[in-house]
Amino acid sequence: MRAQSSATATPAIAVTTEPDRAGSGVLQAALGVTAFSLTFPATAWGLEGFGPWSLVAVRSVLAALIAGGCLLILRVPLPDRRHWAGLAVVGAGVVLGFPLLTTLALETSTTAHAAVVVGLLPLTTALLSALRVGTRPSRTFWIAALAGAAAVVAFTVQQSGGTLTTADAYLFAALLVCAAGYTEGGRLARIMPGWQVIGWALVLCLPLAVPVTAVALVYEPVRLTAHSVTGVLWLAAGSQFLGLVVWYRGMAAVGIPKASQLQLAQPLLTLVWSVLLLGEHLTVAAPLTAAAVLVCIAVTQRARG
């Protein structure tokens, strides 16, 4: 009788463990999205006291120091040589490329307009994931993803008045490099802890970020204010490190395509922060778009890959 009871207990554990892991993964990915949603407002604050190059370089150096300190304290061994190419892609896309391109765009673009990038990012990430990792989401997944992306793009374009600016080239380039970094980071997070993925990517970029910081601080005037200091600190600790830690952990748990669709909510969160922190105004279309996006997110989370 004891053997039978223990045998029947094992499947129960297997049934409850996977949903718990998936639920934890969704929560961590959602926390990452929340952290990312503050990136554009924090960048706008940072640009009040820093130039675009110095802002990106300083945030990268600070984030690398935080990550490097954690890696040293915990005595994390160096990654295998075969992982360094993937870490370089993460560094080029997420640590350097996306921050620099979006910061340059935000010099002449509003945060609402820049949110177009984030609106298209989930779909682009899912597409690159299908090519790089070999994932094959269902037709329902793709329909919901396309509908959600279309809703976000329509909303953000309407918010910006329907006009395209010279910043669009920066934004679309940022979209591509960030999607590549997310895809490669999500793949590596299945092999090593997510915080180590972004941690080593930051450290890998440090030899480039330090001299760029030194040069940029000489040529770009710096005016330290409460906003600019708060902005650069959040960009370094929140957006560049802690947000990416939980984001990569979430992607490793639930898969790159499903986690990426949670970012459909990011432009709307960014617009909320823009109202609260930057004094921007929203139209009545915001709640309607939010409802449509939430429906699309629910569908993508239920669709089987």
Side-chain angles (χ1 to χ4, degrees), residues 103-205:
T103 300
L104 291 172
L106 284 172
E107 283 196 298
T108 56
S109 174
T110 65
T111 56
H113 189 79
V116 172
V117 173
V118 181
L120 293 175
L121 188 54
L123 181 58
T124 309
T125 303
L127 287 170
L128 290 182
S129 171
L131 296 174
R132 178 68 178 89
V133 187
T135 55
R136 293 294 183 269
S138 66
R139 181 178 300 179
T140 301
F141 177 95
W142 286 116
I143 293 174
L146 287 169
V152 171
V153 170
F155 175 70
T156 50
V157 169
Q158 186 272 333
Q159 284 290 104
S160 65
T163 58
L164 298 178
T165 67
T166 55
D168 288 329
Y170 290 131
L171 295 174
F172 285 116
L175 166 68
L176 294 175
V177 298
C178 189
Y182 279 173
T183 299
E184 199 64 20
R187 185 188 67 82
L188 288 172
R190 298 177 179 177
I191 305 170
M192 65 180 74
W195 76 271
Q196 292 183 24
V197 173
I198 185 58
W200 287 118
L202 285 164
V203 171
L204 187 63
C205 294

Side-chain angles (χ1 to χ4, degrees), residues 5-267:
S5 61
S6 62
T8 56
T10 302
I13 295 175
V15 170
T16 56
T17 300
E18 191 62 29
D20 289 345
R21 182 173 183 272
S24 174
V26 171
L27 176 60
Q28 290 182 88
L31 289 174
V33 169
T34 303
F36 300 154
S37 69
L38 283 161
T39 298
F40 286 168
T43 300
W45 275 8
L47 285 172
E48 293 180 11
F50 292 86
W53 289 88
S54 58
L55 176 61
V56 173
V58 168
R59 68 181 273 187
S60 298
V61 170
L62 292 177
L65 292 176
I66 296 172
C70 293
L71 292 168
L72 284 175
I73 291 173
L74 297 176
R75 298 182 179 179
V76 177
L78 289 172
D80 292 340
R81 183 179 299 178
R82 59 193 174 93
H83 299 322
W84 283 107
L87 290 170
V89 174
V90 176
V94 177
V95 177
L96 299 176
F98 185 80
L100 178 60
L101 291 167
T102 53
T103 300
L104 291 172
L106 284 172
E107 283 196 298
T108 56
S109 174
T110 65
T111 56
H113 189 79
V116 172
V117 173
V118 181
L120 293 175
L121 188 54
L123 181 58
T124 309
T125 303
L127 287 170
L128 290 182
S129 171
L131 296 174
R132 178 68 178 89
V133 187
T135 55
R136 293 294 183 269
S138 66
R139 181 178 300 179
T140 301
F141 177 95
W142 286 116
I143 293 174
L146 287 169
V152 171
V153 170
F155 175 70
T156 50
V157 169
Q158 186 272 333
Q159 284 290 104
S160 65
T163 58
L164 298 178
T165 67
T166 55
D168 288 329
Y170 290 131
L171 295 174
F172 285 116
L175 166 68
L176 294 175
V177 298
C178 189
Y182 279 173
T183 299
E184 199 64 20
R187 185 188 67 82
L188 288 172
R190 298 177 179 177
I191 305 170
M192 65 180 74
W195 76 271
Q196 292 183 24
V197 173
I198 185 58
W200 287 118
L202 285 164
V203 171
L204 187 63
C205 294
L206 190 59
L208 176 62
V210 169
V212 171
T213 300
V215 174
L217 290 176
V218 172
Y219 287 95
E220 291 181 343
V222 175
R223 185 170 59 91
L224 297 181
T225 64
H227 276 182
S228 63
V229 172
T230 301
V232 74
L233 289 178
W234 174 258
L235 290 171
S239 299
Q240 197 85 69
F241 183 62
L242 296 177
L244 285 168
V245 167
V246 293
W247 173 243
Y248 282 136
R249 285 175 61 91
M251 281 200 294
V254 301
I256 298 172
K258 284 191 176 183
S260 68
Q261 299 315 301
L262 291 172
Q263 281 197 303
L264 287 169
Q266 186 173 326

